[in-house]
Amino acid sequence: MELFHNLVFGFSVALTWQNLWFCFVGCFLGTLIGVLPGIGPLATIAMLLPITFNVPPVAALIMLAGIYYGAQYGGSTTAILVNLPGETSAVVTCLDGYQMARQGRAGPALAIAAIGSFFAGTVCTLIIALFGPPLAELALKFGAPEYFSLMLMGLVAAAVLAHGDIIKSFSMVAMGLLLGIVGTDVNSGMARYSFGIPELTDGIGFIVIAVGVFAVGEIIQNLGDPEERKIFTNKVTGLMPTKEDLKRSMGPIIRGTGIGAFFGVLPGTGPAIASFSSYMVEKKLAKDPSRFGKGAIEGVAGPESANNADAQCKFIPTLTLGIPASAVMALMLGALTIQGIAPGPQVMTQKPDLFWGLVASMWIGNLMLVILNLPLIGMWVMLLKVPYRLLFPAIMAFSCIGIYSVNNSSMELYLTALFGLIGFMWMKLDCPPAPMLLGFVLGPLMEENLRRALLISRGDPSVFVTRPISLGFMIATVLIIVVMVLPAVKARRGEITG
Amino acid sequence: MKFDWRNNRDFFAGIMYISTGSAGWWIARDYPFGSALRMGPGYFPIVLSALMILFGIYVLLLGVRNNEKIQGNWSIRALIVLPLSTVIFGILMEEAGFIPAMAALIPISAAAGKEFKWGEVILLTIGLTIACAAGFIYGLGLPYPLIKGMWGY
C-alpha cells in the first residue's frame, strides 16, 4: 500500500503544469536529438546542464531524464527509416527495422518500437518504485570499502562491454581516472596536474570533456567520413501493426524488458549492450532464425524494449546509491549537485518529492513519447531531411554557449577545443571514449573511498573481501572478467560489440 | 605479415598510452607518495601512470602483430577549423559580446565542411543568433551583453 501511496504522491508532483511542461520539453528534445544522427543524449544533457541552474531541482531532473529516454525512442525512427542508428543503442534496430521499411512496413515497425518502449517504460517505472526504497536502505549501510568495490565493478563492466580490445578499454579507464585527478587533492590540498593554470585547480569540467569528445570530436570525425543518408520512406502510411505482428512481438517485448532491466541495474553498461543481447536472444529462440535480418518484427520489438528498459533502470543505482551508473547518469548527479543536493541514498528520504516526482514523470513522459513519435512521425521525417552541413554549425553554437555558461569563462572553451582534437584521435585509434568518461567521473570518488577504506582498516587491503557486501561486488567483478576472457564468450563478444 | 608502423592503429594507440603514462609519472614524481595506510597525493597518479605504461606496451605489441590500419578518411580542414572556431568564440565572448561571437562561430565552423554556400550560411547565422539570444539570454536570463560597450554594459 505504501507503494501506491508513494506513486500517488509522485503523480501529484509530476502533474503540476510546470513539471508537465519540462517533461514535455525533455521528451521533445530527446526525440529530436534521437532522430538526428551525430548528436546524442550525452552531449545534449552536458550542454543543457549549466542552464538548469535556473530551474527548480525536480523540474530540471524531469527534463534531463526526458531527454535521455526520449533519445531511445527517437533513435529507432532513424534506424528504421534511414538505416542509420540515431543513437548507438539503435544499431540493431537497423537490421530488421530498415528491412521492414523497405518492404513497405515502416509504419508497423515504428509502432511496435513505440509500443515495446512504452511497455518497457511502464514496467521499469514500477521496478524503480518497488526496488528503489529497499535498495536505498541497504545503501545506507555501505561504507568506503563497499563503495570502492561497487565502483570497481562498474568500471570493469564498462571496459569489458565496450567494443574492441579489452586492454585498450582498460587503458581508457585508466586515462579517465588520470584525467579525474587533475585539480586540487581533497586530502592534502595539493594541486595535481594543474600546470600552474588557476582554472585547472578546480579540475577539468566533466561537461568540457563530454562536449569536446562527443560533440566537437564527433563532428570532426563525421566531416572526414560523410555518411550517406537515404530516406527510403517518404510517407509513412498504415501505422497499425497486424494481429500477427502483435502476437509475434509480445514475447520479445517482455523478454527485452527483462534483459534491459537487468543490464540497467548493472553499473557501467550502456543501452547498446541491452539491445544487442536482446537481439541475440530473440534470434536464438526463433523457430526460423533465417528471418532475422530480413524484416523480422521480433528483431525490432525486443531490442527497442530492451534499450528503453535499460535507460530507465539506470536511475536505480544512480538515485539509490548516489554513484553514477553511466556517463549520462553522472550528468544527472551533476544536476543535483548544481542544485545543492548531495547525491546519495539519503535523497529518497530527504527529498521524496524529487524521487517520486521523477519516477512518476517517467511514466507520463513515456506516454508523451508514444504520442510524439507515432502521430507526429511526419514531422521527424521532415527533420531528417535537414542536411548535415546546416546541422553541425548549430550543434557547435549550442555546445559553445553551453560550455561558456558553466563558469562564464573562455578557458573552458579552449579546453573543449583541445578535447575535440583528443577525442578525434581516440576515435581514429579505435580507443573507446565511453569507459574513459566513466573512469573520469568515478576517479575522484574511487580515490577518496580507497584511501578512507585503507585508513579504517589500518592499511590492510583484505578489508575489501572480508566485508560481505564488498566481497559480493569483488566476486562479481572477477566473474565479469573471467566470463569475458573465456574463448567461447570472447568470440561471441566480437560478434555482438564488434 | 611484415610489421609496418605507418598508419598502424594499435601501434600508435600504444605510443599514445605510453607517452600519457610517462608524462603522468614524470609530473607526479615529486608528489608525496605515502604508504598504503596513509596514501599521499602521489599514490594514485603513480600507480595509474605505471598501469598506463604497461597497457601501452601491450597495445603497441598488439599493433606490431596485427598490423591493423587506421580506418576512414581525414578532414584536415575540419581538424583545424572546428577547434579554431571554438577558441575564437571564447575570445569574442570576453572581448566583444554575444552577437559578434555567434556571428564568427557559425560561418567559421560551417567552413569546416566541404559544402559552403554563402547565402545559406548567412541565413543560418542570423537565424541561430536570434534564436539563441531569445532562448538563452532573454528566456533563461544568461547575463551576457549582446554587444560589449553598448547599452551601458
Side-chain angles (χ1 to χ4, degrees):
Chain A
M1 254 337 24
E2 209 193 329
L3 170 76
F4 181 70
H5 177 80
N6 284 333
L7 281 177
V8 169
F9 172 62
F11 276 103
S12 75
V13 175
L15 283 173
T16 59
W17 283 113
Q18 188 191 30
N19 289 339
L20 274 177
W21 166 246
F22 277 101
C23 185
F24 172 77
V25 171
C27 292
F28 184 85
L29 278 176
T31 311
L32 179 78
I33 56 143
V35 169
L36 298 174
I39 180 155
L42 186 68
T44 312
I45 296 174
M47 279 178 233
L48 290 175
L49 190 59
I51 56 177
T52 59
F53 179 69
N54 302 318
V55 175
V58 184
L61 237 69
I62 285 177
M63 181 180 81
L64 295 178
I67 295 178
Y68 184 46
Y69 56 76
Q72 313 300 331
Y73 275 79
S76 59
T77 304
T78 319
I80 291 166
L81 295 180
V82 201
N83 199 21
L84 267 181
E87 299 305 323
T88 42
S89 54
V91 171
V92 273
T93 311
C94 293
L95 299 175
D96 282 286
Y98 185 62
Q99 290 304 323
M100 283 182 73
R102 291 191 60 164
Q103 291 156 17
R105 303 201 339 115
L110 289 166
I112 215 74
I115 294 169
S117 298
F118 179 71
F119 176 81
T122 309
V123 171
C124 287
T125 304
L126 280 173
I127 292 180
I128 299 174
L130 262 177
F131 292 102
L135 257 174
E137 212 147 286
L138 182 72
L140 285 172
K141 297 196 183 84
F142 281 19
E146 282 78 19
Y147 272 113
F148 178 80
S149 308
L150 176 66
M151 287 187 261
L152 187 70
M153 182 179 92
L155 284 185
V156 168
V160 161
L161 295 171
H163 70 94
D165 187 80
I166 290 185
I167 295 292
K168 279 174 98 172
S169 315
F170 273 119
S171 313
M172 289 313 276
V173 170
M175 177 82 78
L177 290 169
L178 264 177
L179 285 170
I181 289 175
V182 176
T184 309
D185 176 33
V186 210
N187 291 49
S188 63
M190 189 173 179
R192 295 183 290 182
Y193 297 126
S194 64
F195 305 99
I197 301 169
E199 279 91 345
L200 279 183
T201 50
D202 289 337
I204 305 171
F206 176 70
I207 300 172
V208 166
I209 298 192
V211 172
V213 175
F214 290 92
V216 181
E218 184 106 18
I219 293 174
I220 300 178
Q221 158 96 349
N222 288 342
L223 288 177
D225 282 316
E227 51 198 9
E228 255 188 58
R229 274 201 250 171
K230 252 200 210 141
I231 302 176
F232 197 82
T233 324
N234 267 317
K235 230 180 163 159
V236 182
T237 46
L239 275 172
M240 273 321 282
T242 60
K243 246 201 190 119
E244 173 75 12
D245 288 337
L246 286 174
K247 222 176 88 194
R248 278 178 190 274
S249 305
M250 203 142 80
I253 287 177
I254 294 170
R255 281 188 294 271
T257 305
I259 292 169
F262 169 76
F263 279 106
V265 180
L266 204 67
T269 59
I273 304 295
S275 55
F276 274 112
S277 309
S278 163
Y279 190 80
M280 286 300 168
V281 166
E282 292 316 323
K283 203 171 168 182
K284 264 256 138 69
L285 287 178
K287 282 197 198 96
D288 177 15
S290 67
R291 279 176 48 245
F292 278 76
K294 290 179 194 145
I297 197 158
E298 295 95 318
V300 177
E304 278 305 316
S305 315
N307 66 29
N308 202 40
D310 179 281
Q312 272 186 359
C313 284
K314 270 283 169 293
F315 281 94
I316 296 179
T318 308
L319 288 176
T320 59
L321 308 179
I323 66 155
S326 69
V328 175
M329 288 299 133
L331 290 167
M332 298 286 169
L333 292 184
L336 281 182
T337 319
I338 289 182
Q339 303 279 354
I341 301 168
Q346 74 286 349
V347 167
M348 205 174 295
T349 43
Q350 284 171 6
K351 297 262 170 202
D353 57 326
L354 186 86
F355 181 82
W356 294 106
L358 181 61
V359 170
S361 87
M362 285 186 195
W363 189 79
I364 298 170
N366 271 288
L367 197 64
M368 285 185 186
L369 281 164
V370 171
I371 298 166
L372 270 176
N373 276 276
L374 291 181
L376 297 180
I377 186 72
M379 191 172 80
W380 306 114
V381 175
M382 253 165 55
L383 214 114
L384 268 172
K385 289 182 185 145
V386 175
Y388 193 65
R389 66 171 191 278
L390 296 182
L391 216 53
F392 78 83
I395 298 175
M396 286 298 292
F398 296 134
S399 302
C400 287
I401 298 172
I403 292 282
Y404 188 79
S405 62
V406 179
N407 277 335
N408 295 339
S409 100
S410 47
M411 187 65 203
E412 261 82 12
L413 283 161
Y414 308 151
L415 282 173
T416 306
L418 181 70
F419 275 101
L421 289 175
I422 294 175
F424 172 72
M425 178 181 74
W426 284 338
M427 284 176 223
K428 274 288 165 204
L429 294 176
D430 208 24
C431 302
M436 180 278 305
L437 213 52
L438 199 61
F440 174 77
V441 170
L442 293 180
L445 280 172
M446 270 181 95
E447 186 184 10
E448 176 85 28
N449 281 293
L450 176 66
R451 278 186 184 182
R452 211 180 293 157
L454 288 177
L455 207 60
I456 300 167
S457 74
R458 303 184 175 280
D460 181 8
S462 71
V463 66
F464 296 112
V465 287
T466 46
R467 300 179 47 140
I469 300 176
S470 174
L471 176 67
F473 290 138
M474 284 295 180
I475 292 175
T477 310
V478 174
L479 274 180
I480 293 173
I481 299 179
V482 170
V483 166
M484 281 302 159
V485 292
L486 291 178
V489 182
K490 212 172 169 183
R492 171 56 59 81
R493 177 177 173 273
E495 200 178 310
I496 294 177
T497 58
Chain B
M1 214 195 316
K2 233 186 115 219
F3 167 62
D4 180 14
W5 64 272
R6 277 166 301 178
N7 266 332
N8 187 322
R9 190 187 71 193
D10 292 339
F11 179 77
F12 280 109
I15 296 217
M16 189 230 353
Y17 290 142
I18 295 172
S19 43
T20 312
S22 311
W25 187 307
W26 177 253
I27 299 168
R29 75 193 185 286
D30 292 333
Y31 302 162
F33 190 73
S35 64
L37 173 56
R38 271 191 191 283
M39 288 182 194
Y43 193 95
F44 218 55
I46 294 282
V47 171
L48 279 174
S49 302
L51 263 177
M52 289 261 335
I53 296 172
L54 283 180
F55 286 152
I57 294 171
Y58 170 88
V59 175
L60 186 140
L61 292 177
L62 198 74
V64 172
R65 242 186 46 196
N66 69 12
N67 271 318
E68 291 263 12
K69 295 282 167 248
I70 295 171
Q71 300 288 318
N73 302 309
W74 294 66
S75 169
I76 299 290
R77 191 182 165 122
L79 204 54
I80 296 168
V81 172
L82 274 183
L84 190 72
S85 70
T86 316
V87 172
I88 291 177
F89 179 83
I91 296 170
L92 287 177
M93 274 303 268
E94 308 248 294
E95 303 298 331
F98 185 78
I99 291 176
M102 290 289 281
L105 171 73
I106 295 161
I108 295 175
S109 61
K114 286 192 183 75
E115 292 170 90
F116 186 92
K117 293 174 192 153
W118 271 111
E120 221 176 59
V121 171
I122 289 170
L123 278 179
L124 186 70
T125 308
I126 296 172
L128 272 176
T129 307
I130 293 174
C132 288
F136 290 103
I137 294 181
Y138 293 104
L140 288 159
L142 296 182
Y144 308 135
L146 291 177
I147 294 173
K148 268 212 168 152
M150 276 180 87
W151 302 302
Y153 279 105

